[in-house]
Amino acid sequence: MSVGALLNGLLVSVVAALLWKYSKLSEHAALLEEELHMTQQSQEVSQARIDYHVALQALQEHGTRMVCSGKMHTDRICRFDYLCYCSEAEEFVFFHSNSSVMLPNLGSRRFQPALLDLSSVEDHNTQYFNFLELPAAALKFMPKPVFVPDVTLILNRFNPDNLMHVFHDDLLPAFYTMQQYSDLDDEARLVFMEGWGEGPHFDLYRLLSSKQPLLKEQLRNFGKLMCFTKSYVGLSKMTTWYQYGFVQPQGPKANILVSGNEIRQFAKALMEKMNITKKDEYIVVFSRSTTRLILNEAELIMALAQEFEMRVVTVSLEEQSFPSIVQVISGASMLVSMHGAQLITSLFLPRGAVVVELFPFAVNPEQYTPYKTLASLPGMDLHYVSWRNMKEENAVTHPDRPWEQGGIAHLEKDEQERILASKDVPRHLCCRNPEWLFRIYQDTLVDIPSFLEVLKEAMKVKPNLKKTKVASTVHPGRVREPQCQTSVQTSNEAKLTVSWQIPWNLKYLKVREVKYEVWIQEQGENTYMPYILPQQNYTFSENIKPFTTYLVWVRCIFNKSLLGPFADVLTYFLVPLPHFCMC
């Protein structure tokens, strides 16, 4: 081989190596440019900085991780690392790798009916949450993800157009869900996935976090695949007190877990966010400008002012900002309003205030009680009064309005006549009962004499909550060191001696009287013998058989003379502490 051919081959090799090196450098530069672009997109979502390469590597290698609390979909909240959302498919995606965690691992049961409820409204089929599953290797064939570096709370708002739903279903549950997890702090971001627009009360949601909430429709703007580096999905239902009638007619929940104390703590936190301070006492009348009007509002205001010799002011959701309304209500001694979502603002009333709810003709106050239930929660310390229009001639109906505002013109003639003739709306399910809508959207001429009579009668039994301390529920603990001794007297006689030490926390509580409840049950029998005892030991002989096994339960009960207006209420704390005694 000639020297020229050798040099020529060497030159070709060098050029090929340089071209290969250049192509690799170009490819690397393109990757860096793409990562820079995706990092910029991630920072458009949040001001928090993120190392895009590290985040992408973590997703590819470790996949998605999920750990949930709660046994059923109705009480479950899940924490995710790297939960992703595909805006094209409108689906959440769980990426599997060898390091993925999925607890609980429900398999196909995850779809029976769902992993969890995205809303605090229990088991509503439009509020279910689930995800699709893919291997992490599929990321190679998908659009590059945009990462959300904020800790996020992902939920559904139930009905953001209605103030009652905003507070009861969204704000209160979200507030206390955030209290459950330390990293859901003021820097966390809320993500609303129900698909609604902002709605008229969006500023209230902004009070929960310093970060702007994200709507489902906005997620499309940040890319086809978004991944939340750390997120919580679902809402606590512990703060809700009312069910809306999807399965049975509406009414208070069967098992209410929230008290007025927690609601007042929530109200205080929101008032601090709105920089609200309390003012002097007065009466507030909620004014409505479009539907469910008080036709003689001026006369009602004058009657209230004369009867109670107090200043009366009006507020209106249509004409005032919400913080300015709360500013007024937080100092009121009485709030008067037609039935409606605006009455949720009663949670901002001071202790001892009166809530007066007006109902149109043919609407029974006992069947629609969300605000009565709220006012009656232990620790709310509000006095609730309802007034119902009993005179049909004082009602103005609107049969020609759209059906959602009480119109009935679209119904068959016989059905229209039946509704017009009815004097009392029967109990019904949510949410489109035409008779209920027809009656609840009536305007009302309030009969002043009957209104004042109802109010004066109610005020006679109004507790003077202003002069009492705030109620607090304190329960005794378990009795300690329970013991039993037996002795056989004769073949037919025996004695059983039971003793115990006082609950540990009792020595720190100021109580007037302490008693103990003792249950004695013969093993294998369904009945038991109950006793109330003032002392910590007692010898039983009546109905005690020799050579028999007994189960003994002991619990402490006491009269509280501390902490508030319920001093004479017996507080029971069941201590299912069986102690086996053999006679």
Side-chain angles (χ1 to χ4, degrees):
M1 180 181 294
S2 67
V3 175
L6 185 63
L7 290 172
N8 189 51
L10 184 61
L11 182 61
V12 169
S13 298
V14 171
V15 170
L18 288 171
L19 287 173
W20 181 84
K21 184 74 171 177
Y22 175 77
S23 68
K24 286 297 181 183
L25 286 171
S26 298
E27 184 179 330
H28 184 63
L31 285 171
L32 287 174
E33 186 176 350
E34 185 178 25
E35 283 191 10
L36 178 62
H37 174 67
M38 301 309 293
T39 301
Q40 289 171 340
Q41 278 195 284
S42 295
Q43 288 182 213
E44 286 178 15
V45 182
S46 170
Q47 293 302 310
R49 300 192 66 82
I50 188 169
D51 187 322
Y52 185 84
H53 178 72
V54 171
L56 181 60
Q57 187 175 11
L59 176 60
Q60 292 170 333
E61 294 181 3
H62 303 298
T64 306
R65 301 168 69 87
M66 177 192 84
V67 178
C68 302
S69 61
K71 293 183 178 180
M72 305 293 293
H73 73 280
T74 52
D75 64 354
R76 191 172 287 141
I77 296 175
C78 295
R79 173 187 160 162
F80 289 87
D81 293 333
Y82 293 100
L83 174 68
C84 297
Y85 178 74
C86 177
S87 57
E88 282 187 325
E90 295 189 349
E91 296 279 4
F92 285 93
V93 184
F94 186 108
F95 285 102
H96 281 278
S97 77
N98 292 333
S99 301
S100 291
V101 173
M102 185 186 289
L103 285 176
N105 197 329
L106 297 172
S108 61
R109 288 176 294 157
R110 185 161 56 82
F111 301 96
Q112 299 173 359
L115 177 64
L116 55 82
D117 291 337
L118 268 179
S119 164
S120 69
V121 178
E122 189 165 311
D123 208 20
H124 193 290
N125 60 9
T126 64
Q127 309 298 318
Y128 292 156
F129 169 84
N130 237 314
F131 52 75
L132 302 181
E133 300 173 72
L134 285 174
L139 284 162
K140 296 178 182 177
F141 311 103
M142 299 180 72
K144 288 288 185 182
V146 172
F147 291 97
V148 181
D150 302 317
V151 179
T152 56
L153 176 60
I154 299 172
L155 65 136
N156 275 4
R157 298 172 298 167
F158 188 69
N159 181 359
D161 287 347
N162 181 286
L163 196 59
M164 165 67 181
H165 289 294
V166 168
F167 273 89
H168 181 268
D169 307 334
D170 304 341
L171 295 179
L172 255 168
F175 178 82
Y176 278 107
T177 300
M178 296 173 76
Q179 297 281 309
Q180 286 182 245
Y181 304 99
S182 60
D183 46 356
L184 282 176
D185 54 18
D186 190 57
E187 296 296 312
R189 190 183 298 274
L190 277 65
V191 181
F192 303 138
M193 295 303 300
E194 79 290 326
W196 291 70
E198 287 189 354
H201 308 295
F202 200 66
D203 282 345
L204 294 176
Y205 295 96
R206 291 190 176 103
L207 296 174
L208 296 178
S209 167
S210 61
K211 302 283 181 68
Q212 172 77 1
L214 288 177
L215 302 175
K216 180 180 179 180
E217 63 186 25
Q218 294 173 325
L219 301 186
R220 294 180 178 274
N221 301 332
F222 301 113
K224 295 181 179 179
L225 185 65
M226 287 188 72
C227 295
F228 301 93
T229 54
K230 183 185 290 186
S231 59
Y232 292 85
V233 182
L235 283 179
S236 168
K237 298 179 174 66
M238 288 190 292
T239 60
T240 58
W241 65 84
Y242 206 73
Q243 58 84 18
Y244 300 122
F246 298 115
V247 177
Q248 60 188 22
Q250 65 169 278
K253 288 177 65 175
N255 184 25
I256 297 176
L257 300 176
V258 67
S259 77
N261 178 62
E262 289 74 41
I263 293 175
R264 288 198 172 277
Q265 293 295 326
F266 161 79
K268 180 182 177 183
L270 257 60
M271 288 169 66
E272 288 175 354
K273 292 268 189 178
M274 292 185 281
N275 297 316
I276 288 172
T277 56
K278 294 183 180 181
K279 292 184 176 181
D280 297 331
E281 292 187 354
Y282 39 77
I283 296 173
V284 173
V285 174
F286 241 114
S287 181
R288 298 173 65 107
S289 61
T290 53
T291 61
R292 220 173 300 165
L293 306 178
I294 300 173
L295 296 173
N296 56 337
E297 186 177 289
E299 185 183 358
L300 178 67
I301 290 170
M302 187 175 297
L304 284 166
Q306 291 175 348
E307 178 67 31
F308 295 98
E309 297 181 350
M310 294 180 71
R311 184 163 58 100
V312 181
V313 298
T314 61
V315 293
S316 169
L317 286 173
E318 292 91 348
E319 298 174 6
Q320 294 169 251
S321 69
F322 191 79
S324 68
I325 291 173
V326 174
Q327 174 76 67
V328 174
I329 288 176
S330 64
S333 59
M334 183 183 296
L335 175 63
V336 181
S337 173
M338 290 298 296
H339 172 81
Q342 70 279 355
L343 271 168
I344 192 63
T345 57
S346 60
L347 63 85
F348 294 104
L349 284 168
R351 297 182 190 277
V354 181
V355 181
V356 186
E357 185 171 11
L358 312 179
F359 286 84
F361 177 76
V363 179
N364 186 347
E366 295 303 314
Q367 295 178 187
Y368 311 97
T369 61
Y371 313 111
K372 178 181 180 180
T373 306
L374 169 62
S376 304
L377 290 175
M380 278 306 292
D381 298 336
L382 297 174
H383 189 56
Y384 176 86
V385 182
S386 65
W387 174 86
R388 176 182 180 181
N389 177 24
M390 302 300 293
K391 298 181 178 181
E392 190 169 7
E393 63 270 22
N394 286 356
V396 176
T397 61
H398 301 281
D400 296 323
R401 282 182 176 171
W403 69 267
E404 65 271 16
Q405 293 182 10
I408 57 173
H410 63 291
L411 300 175
E412 296 290 337
K413 193 70 174 176
D414 289 348
E415 179 66 2
Q416 292 185 44
E417 290 175 356
R418 184 195 67 79
I419 290 174
L420 289 168
S422 174
K423 309 300 181 187
D424 205 346
V425 178
R427 293 181 70 84
H428 56 88
L429 297 181
C430 187
C431 299
R432 299 189 176 192
N433 183 282
E435 187 172 350
W436 150 252
L437 292 170
F438 175 72
R439 290 302 184 185
I440 200 59
Y441 276 105
Q442 296 172 111
D443 299 331
T444 301
L445 186 74
V446 175
D447 180 65
I448 300 298
S450 70
F451 169 76
L452 290 179
E453 185 62 31
V454 166
L455 204 50
K456 284 187 284 189
E457 284 298 313
M459 297 299 281
K460 290 179 183 178
V461 296
K462 176 179 178 284
N464 190 357
L465 298 172
K466 298 278 185 173
K467 296 183 179 179
T468 60
K469 296 179 182 178
V470 177
S472 177
T473 303
V474 179
H475 299 285
R478 293 172 178 266
V479 297
R480 297 176 299 144
E481 302 176 24
Q483 295 180 359
C484 63
Q485 294 179 341
T486 61
S487 61
V488 177
Q489 307 298 307
T490 68
S491 60
N492 296 321
E493 290 182 47
K495 291 184 178 180
L496 169 62
T497 300
V498 182
S499 64
W500 57 88
Q501 297 299 313
I502 67 171
W504 175 81
N505 65 332
L506 195 58
K507 60 185 178 181
Y508 299 105
L509 298 176
K510 297 177 182 178
V511 294
R512 282 203 300 259
E513 183 180 15
V514 177
K515 292 186 179 181
Y516 297 92
E517 186 168 19
V518 179
W519 297 353
I520 300 176
Q521 182 182 32
E522 184 179 335
Q523 191 171 39
E525 296 295 325
N526 293 325
T527 59
Y528 57 87
M529 297 175 288
Y531 302 88
I532 301 292
L533 305 174
Q535 66 267 41
Q536 292 164 237
N537 59 78
Y538 194 82
T539 299
F540 302 90
S541 57
E542 186 179 355
N543 298 320
I544 302 298
K545 304 174 185 177
F547 313 110
T548 304
T549 299
Y550 290 94
L551 282 70
V552 180
W553 284 263
V554 182
R555 67 178 175 182
C556 178
I557 59 178
F558 59 67
N559 259 345
K560 292 189 297 182
S561 61
L562 74 165
L563 299 175
F566 307 109
D568 295 322
V569 178
L570 277 174
T571 300
Y572 293 91
F573 185 79
L574 177 61
V575 183
L577 188 66
H579 205 81
F580 298 91
C581 298
M582 179 70 177
C583 290

